[in-house]
Amino acid sequence: MAAVTFRDETATGRELDAFSVAGLPATMTVRELIRLRVREEVARHNARPARRFNGLVRPDDAETELNGYRLREARPIDWERQADIAERAFLANGFFVLVGDRQAEDLDEIVDLGGDPDLVFVKLVPLVGG
């Protein structure tokens, strides 16, 4: 069984957060990996709901803060809704995923997890006025 490390980095390469998940099949699609990542981060939040959510994409009715999102009230989050938002964000270039030293281009691209790779997620920030 394979393991993967999900890591968030800035566009300049500074690491923001990382966590690993073990017991995965030998290959998964980028879509499956994004959904797995979102499910794991939402499960961690839902175990101890708070007004702050540190995740890949912004939950409904949340405000963007530095390195996270502020919820109006501490509440559980629906992981499937978050995963759907994350898929749309990937397709709209809201973030990109690096698998090893290359950028994943497609949600249905198959990723070999045999070498226990790091998946780097880089959120793209829209330019002001652009």
Side-chain angles (χ1 to χ4, degrees), residues 3-7 17-21 24 116-121:
V4 67
T5 299
F6 296 94
R7 185 173 39 245
D17 192 24
F19 66 92
S20 295
V21 178
L24 301 177
D116 297 340
D118 286 352
L119 296 181
V120 177
F121 290 74

Side-chain angles (χ1 to χ4, degrees), residues 8 10 14 16 52-55 64-69 123:
D8 291 338
T10 65
R14 183 173 58 90
L16 300 172
R52 182 169 173 76
F53 176 70
N54 292 322
T64 301
E65 291 187 325
L66 183 62
N67 298 326
Y69 306 100
K123 293 180 195 178

Side-chain angles (χ1 to χ4, degrees), residues 27-41:
T27 62
M28 293 179 75
T29 65
V30 171
R31 179 189 319 272
E32 292 168 329
L33 288 163
I34 289 171
R35 294 185 74 81
L36 172 67
R37 180 235 160 98
V38 170
R39 187 185 76 209
E40 290 295 318
E41 69 191 13

Side-chain angles (χ1 to χ4, degrees), residues 64-119:
T64 301
E65 291 187 325
L66 183 62
N67 298 326
Y69 306 100
R70 185 177 62 223
L71 303 169
R72 291 186 180 159
E73 60 187 41
R75 64 176 170 83
I77 295 173
D78 177 356
W79 83 264
E80 289 177 315
R81 172 86 176 120
Q82 283 301 105
D84 292 343
I85 293 168
E87 282 184 33
R88 286 192 302 276
F90 177 85
L91 293 172
N93 297 318
F95 66 90
F96 63 89
V97 179
L98 298 174
V99 180
D101 61 351
R102 65 175 185 73
Q103 182 175 337
E105 301 283 335
D106 186 86
L107 285 172
D108 295 320
E109 181 178 324
I110 295 177
V111 177
D112 178 9
L113 303 179
D116 297 340
D118 286 352
L119 296 181

